[in-house]
C-alpha cells in the first residue's frame, strides 16, 4: 500500500528546532519577537499589502532628498507636490499657502497621511526592519484573503478619481514609486475557506461606496484577520470534529454597556476567555498540520513531494483520506505511528507515551508531544499576537473580568451596512448574519442595539399589524 504520509529522516530539521521548509504557513506571527508592535500599526500593514499587490517600492532616496525649499516644517510630499509644473503660482507666497493647504488636506496632526484615495496606501512608509511581522501579515492577507481576486487588487491599483485635487496629487507623487519583483517567498494556506468567501462578498459590496469604504477599510480588514485567527483556535480544539466551512459565533459586548461576569461574553466557553486560554496552542497546531502536509495529496505521480506544500485542516485531510477507502485509513494509522516514533527520536523524548490505534488518538498524542517539547515561551509569544491584533479595536479591558470582545459603535454600523446591503432585512436575519461572521449578542446587547437603531431611524416594521422588525439599508 502506498504511503499516505510521506515522512522520512530528512523531514524534521537537523537543527532540532520546530521549523519546516516545504509546507506553506498558516499564520503570520513570530515565535521569536514580542508582538507589541502590532498595536496601532494596521495602517502600515495595509500599506505593505498595497505594495505587494501593485509591486511598488518607495524610492526612499528621492523622498529623503526632498528639502524645505519654500516652507520649513512642511511635509516633504507637500513640498514635492507644490513643485508641480501643472500649477502656476503668482509668487512664492501663493506657493507656501498651497503647501500649507496640502499639509492639512493630506496629513493628520501626527504627520500620518490621510487616505483620501486607496491608491495612496502605496505611499505610506514601509515597516521598520524590526517589524517584519507587519510585512508578514500583509503577505498573509494577500495569500489567503486576496489571492487572484481582481476586484480587491484594483483597490490599490486603480488611480481613477473625479476629484481634481486628488488627481493632481496622485499624478505628482506617482514617480516616487517604482516597480519591483516583490513576490513573497512565504506562502500561506487558507484553512477557513467559508469565512474567506464571506469576506470577499462583503468587500465586493463595501467597495461600491467609495467614501464609506475609505473611512472603514482598515477596521473592516483588521476584524476579518482577527476573527480568522480566533476561528482557527476554535477549529483546532475540535480537532477532527472541526468544519472549515463553518464559523462558530463568539459573544461580544457593546462598547457602551456594562458587563457582569454572568454574561456569556465573560464566561470561559462562549467568549474571548476560551480563545485566550487556547491561543498558546496555535504554534503547536500549525507545526503538526505543516508536518502532516507531507502527504500523498502534495505529491506528483511518482510520489515526489512538490516544492511548496498545501496545508489542510485536520478535518479536510482525514476526509480526503477516508474518500480513498478503508485501506488508506489503515495506512494513515501506520504512517502516523511512524511519524510519532520519528518525532520521539528527533526530539529525544525521555518518557515516550503509549501509541494508540485510532487516527484521532494518534493526532492527540502527536499534538501533546509537540506542545511538551516545544519551548513554552515560544508558544506564548506566538499566541499573544492575537491579543495585539485585536487590542483597542475588538478587545476591551473590563476591570476584573479582563479583556473581553468588544463592538464599538462605528464597527456595529459598518457591519450592519455590509450585511443589510441594498434591501431592508428582518432584524432576526441580521443577527444570524452577524453570527455567520463570528459575532454573537446576548439579549442585553440585542436590546441595546434595538434602542440604537431606533435612535438612528433605521428600524421599522413591515406593516402596522406585524411584529417583525426590519433594518433599513444604511448606504
Amino acid at each position: 500500500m502506498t504511503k499516505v504520509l510521506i515522512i522520512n529522516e530528512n523531514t524534521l530539521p537537523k537543527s532540532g528546532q520546530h521549523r519546516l521548509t516545504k509546507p506553506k504557513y498558516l499564520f503570520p506571527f513570530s515565535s521569536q519577537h514580542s508582538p507589541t508592535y502590532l498595536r496601532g500599526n494596521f495602517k502600515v500593514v495595509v500599506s505593505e499589502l498595497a505594495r505587494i499587490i501593485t509591486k511598488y517600492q518607495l524610492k526612499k532616496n528621492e523622498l529623503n532628498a526632498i528639502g524645505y525649499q519654500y516652507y520649513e516644517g512642511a511635509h516633504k510630499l507637500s513640498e514635492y507636490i507644490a513643485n508641480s509644473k501643472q500649477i502656476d503660482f503668482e509668487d512664492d507666497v501663493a506657493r507656501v499657502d498651497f503647501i500649507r493647504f496640502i499639509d492639512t488636506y493630506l496629513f493628520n496632526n501626527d504627520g500620518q497621511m490621510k487616505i483620501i484615495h486607496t491608491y495612496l496606501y502605496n505611499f505610506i512608509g514601509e515597516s521598520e526592519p524590526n517589524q517584519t511581522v507587519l510585512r508578514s501579515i500583509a503577505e498573509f492577507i494577500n495569500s489567503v484573503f486576496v489571492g487572484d481576486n481582481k476586484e480587491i487588487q484594483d483597490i490599490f491599483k486603480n488611480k481613477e478619481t473625479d476629484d481634481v485635487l486628488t488627481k493632481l496629487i496622485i499624478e505628482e507623487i506617482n514617480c516616487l514609486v517604482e516597480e519591483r519583483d516583490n513576490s513573497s517567498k512565504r506562502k500561506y494556506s487558507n484553512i477557513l475557506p467559508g469565512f474567506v468567501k464571506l469576506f470577499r462578498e462583503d468587500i465586493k459590496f463595501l467597495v461600491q461606496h467609495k467614501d464609506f469604504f475609505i473611512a472603514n477599510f482598515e477596521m473592516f480588514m483588521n476584524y476579518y484577520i482577527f476573527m480568522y485567527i480566533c476561528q482557527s483556535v476554535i477549529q483546532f480544539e475540535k480537532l477532527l470534529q472541526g468544519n472549515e466551512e463553518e464559523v462558530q459565533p463568539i459573544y461580544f459586548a457593546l462598547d457602551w454597556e456594562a458587563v457582569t461576569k454572568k454574561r456569556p461574553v465573560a464566561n470561559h466557553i462562549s467568549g474571548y476567555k476560551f480563545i485566550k486560554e487556547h491561543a498558546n496552542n496555535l504554534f503547536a497546531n500549525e507545526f503538526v498540520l505543516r508536518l502532516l502536509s507531507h502527504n500523498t495529496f502534495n505529491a506528483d505521480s511518482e510520489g515526489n513531494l512538490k516544492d511548496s506544500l498545501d496545508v489542510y485542516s485536520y478535518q479536510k485531510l482525514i476526509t480526503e483520506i477516508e474518500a480513498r477507502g478503508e485501506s488508506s485509513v489503515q495506512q494513515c494509522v501506520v504512517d502516523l505511528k511512524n511519524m510519532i516514533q520519528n518525532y520521539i527520536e528527533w526530539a529525544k523524548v525521555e518518557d515516550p507515551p503509549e501509541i494508540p490505534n485510532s487516527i484521532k488518538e494518534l493526532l492527540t498524542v502527536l499534538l501533546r508531544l509537540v506542545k511538551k517539547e516545544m519551548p513554552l515561551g515560544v508558544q506564548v509569544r506566538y499566541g499573544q499576537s492575537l491579543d495585539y491584533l485585536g487590542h483597542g479595536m475588538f478587545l476591551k479591558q473590563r476591570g476584573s473580568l479582563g479583556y473581553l470582545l468588544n463592538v464599538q459603535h462605528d464597527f456595529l454600523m459598518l457591519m450592519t451596512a455590509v450585511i443589510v446591503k441594498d434591501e431592508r432585512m428582518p432584524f432576526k436575519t441580521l443577527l444570524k448574519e452577524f453570527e455567520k461572521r463570528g459575532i454573537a449578542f446576548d439579549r442585553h446587547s440585542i436590546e441595546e442595539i434595538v434602542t440604537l437603531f431606533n435612535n438612528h431611524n433605521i428600524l421599522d416594521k413591515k406593516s402596522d399589524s406585524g411584529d417583525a422588525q426590519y433594518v433599513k439599508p444604511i448606504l
Side-chain angles (χ1 to χ4, degrees):
M1 179 70 190
T2 305
K3 283 186 176 183
V4 173
L5 302 175
I6 306 172
I7 306 294
N8 56 44
E9 65 277 6
N10 297 319
T11 303
L12 292 164
K14 291 181 171 56
S15 65
Q17 295 180 316
H18 290 77
R19 295 180 181 178
L20 303 171
T21 55
K22 281 198 169 189
K24 293 179 181 179
Y25 292 85
L26 293 184
F27 309 114
F29 303 142
S30 171
S31 61
Q32 298 175 302
H33 306 292
S34 170
T36 53
Y37 46 79
L38 284 174
R39 184 186 298 177
N41 273 325
F42 206 78
K43 188 183 289 291
V44 178
V45 171
V46 178
S47 72
E48 292 281 10
L49 172 63
R51 286 186 290 271
I52 290 171
I53 290 172
T54 59
K55 294 182 169 57
Y56 284 165
Q57 181 177 15
L58 284 172
K59 295 180 181 177
K60 290 183 178 180
N61 292 336
E62 286 193 28
L63 190 59
N64 293 332
I66 300 172
Y68 298 117
Q69 185 177 352
Y70 300 103
Y71 175 43
E72 188 170 350
H75 196 284
K76 289 184 176 183
L77 278 182
S78 300
E79 283 264 350
Y80 189 83
I81 294 165
N83 279 314
S84 170
K85 294 179 180 179
Q86 299 185 57
I87 310 174
D88 291 325
F89 295 102
E90 291 183 2
D91 50 33
D92 285 349
V93 174
R95 194 185 297 270
V96 168
D97 287 341
F98 179 76
I99 292 171
R100 286 174 173 167
F101 171 74
I102 293 297
D103 261 1
T104 57
Y105 180 75
L106 202 54
F107 298 96
N108 295 316
N109 292 332
D110 59 3
Q112 280 202 343
M113 183 183 287
K114 297 177 185 176
I115 302 301
I116 57 174
H117 190 290
T118 51
Y119 186 74
L120 295 181
Y121 274 115
N122 288 289
F123 300 90
I124 294 175
E126 297 171 330
S127 55
E128 299 297 326
N130 64 338
Q131 296 177 324
T132 54
V133 172
L134 300 182
R135 168 80 181 187
S136 295
I137 293 175
E139 292 169 343
F140 165 76
I141 295 171
N142 188 50
S143 287
V144 174
F145 286 86
V146 179
D148 297 325
N149 190 299
K150 188 176 183 300
E151 287 179 308
I152 303 177
Q153 292 175 349
D154 284 346
I155 291 170
F156 304 108
K157 289 181 176 180
N158 184 17
K159 305 174 190 176
E160 294 179 7
T161 175
D162 296 327
D163 184 81
V164 176
L165 181 57
T166 303
K167 183 180 180 182
L168 170 70
I169 290 170
I170 290 174
E171 287 175 352
E172 290 303 321
I173 66 176
N174 199 46
C175 60
L176 291 174
V177 290
E178 59 187 353
E179 289 198 20
R180 65 170 178 180
D181 180 13
N182 64 350
S183 54
S184 171
K185 294 179 181 178
R186 190 168 187 171
K187 303 296 183 183
Y188 296 85
S189 285
N190 176 9
I191 57 170
L192 295 174
F195 189 65
V196 171
K197 182 181 177 182
L198 268 176
F199 162 81
R200 291 176 178 172
E201 291 173 0
D202 286 349
I203 201 169
K204 183 178 180 179
F205 170 78
L206 190 59
V207 77
Q208 295 172 19
H209 301 271
K210 176 187 169 186
D211 293 339
F212 190 78
F213 172 77
I214 289 174
N216 293 285
F217 177 58
E218 291 171 31
M219 178 167 57
F220 176 82
M221 195 77 250
N222 195 343
Y223 171 74
Y224 264 98
I225 307 312
F226 175 69
M227 184 52 65
Y228 181 97
I229 311 297
C230 288
Q231 291 296 322
S232 297
V233 172
I234 293 171
Q235 291 296 323
F236 287 162
E237 296 310 311
K238 293 180 178 181
L239 204 61
L240 298 185
Q241 277 66 52
N243 187 333
E244 62 178 17
E245 295 295 336
E246 292 182 357
V247 174
Q248 179 175 314
I250 320 168
Y251 278 92
F252 283 66
L254 301 172
D255 188 54
W256 58 90
E257 64 176 333
V259 176
T260 65
K261 64 181 180 181
K262 295 182 179 180
R263 299 274 296 275
V265 69
N267 73 35
H268 290 266
I269 303 298
S270 55
Y272 190 68
K273 290 182 183 294
F274 179 88
I275 306 297
K276 179 70 175 172
E277 288 171 5
H278 297 91
N280 289 352
N281 297 335
L282 275 173
F283 195 39
N285 275 285
E286 180 175 11
F287 177 81
V288 169
L289 285 175
R290 294 181 74 218
L291 190 59
L292 293 171
S293 71
H294 296 76
N295 59 56
T296 185
F297 309 113
N298 278 319
D300 59 24
S301 57
E302 296 179 358
N304 299 313
L305 289 170
K306 303 173 187 175
D307 292 332
S308 179
L309 308 181
D310 289 317
V311 181
Y312 294 5
S313 65
Y314 293 114
Q315 181 254 350
K316 182 179 179 181
L317 178 61
I318 301 307
T319 298
E320 293 284 351
I321 293 170
E322 289 175 343
R324 293 195 171 190
E326 182 60 27
S327 58
S328 288
V329 173
Q330 292 306 315
Q331 183 61 46
C332 181
V333 170
V334 173
D335 294 344
L336 273 173
K337 288 182 178 181
N338 290 334
M339 178 184 283
I340 290 171
Q341 190 58 46
N342 285 344
Y343 183 83
I344 288 172
E345 294 172 5
W346 175 79
K348 298 179 174 60
V349 177
E350 294 180 356
D351 187 19
E354 292 185 14
I355 308 299
N357 293 306
S358 74
I359 290 178
K360 182 178 179 180
E361 290 174 332
L362 286 164
L363 288 175
T364 302
V365 167
L366 179 58
L367 260 173
R368 194 175 295 144
L369 275 170
V370 171
K371 282 188 273 190
K372 181 181 177 182
E373 299 302 321
M374 189 177 278
L376 180 60
V378 167
Q379 299 178 65
V380 170
R381 275 193 300 275
Y382 204 78
Q384 279 180 340
S385 298
L386 184 56
D387 289 339
Y388 288 99
L389 200 55
H391 185 86
M393 186 66 71
F394 309 110
L395 293 173
K396 181 176 181 178
Q397 176 71 42
R398 298 278 187 170
S400 60
L401 298 177
Y403 282 99
L404 302 181
L405 289 168
N406 188 63
V407 168
Q408 297 177 6
H409 174 271
D410 288 350
F411 180 68
L412 178 66
M413 301 308 290
L414 162 65
M415 295 307 291
T416 300
V418 164
I419 291 170
V420 175
K421 295 182 172 61
D422 299 318
E423 297 183 10
R424 67 179 184 170
M425 173 182 289
F427 181 68
K428 290 183 178 178
T429 303
L430 173 68
L431 295 177
K432 290 178 181 177
E433 290 295 323
F434 264 106
E435 290 182 358
K436 287 181 182 178
R437 290 157 178 81
I439 303 170
F441 296 112
D442 65 14
R443 63 180 182 86
H444 297 286
S445 295
I446 291 172
E447 289 171 2
E448 289 284 344
I449 293 171
V450 169
T451 299
L452 178 71
F453 283 5
N454 275 320
N455 291 338
H456 284 306
N457 194 30
I458 60 171
L459 200 64
D460 66 4
K461 294 182 179 180
K462 188 172 184 180
S463 65
D464 293 337
S465 60
D467 294 326
Q469 293 172 308
Y470 279 73
V471 183
K472 303 174 188 176
I474 294 176
L475 299 176

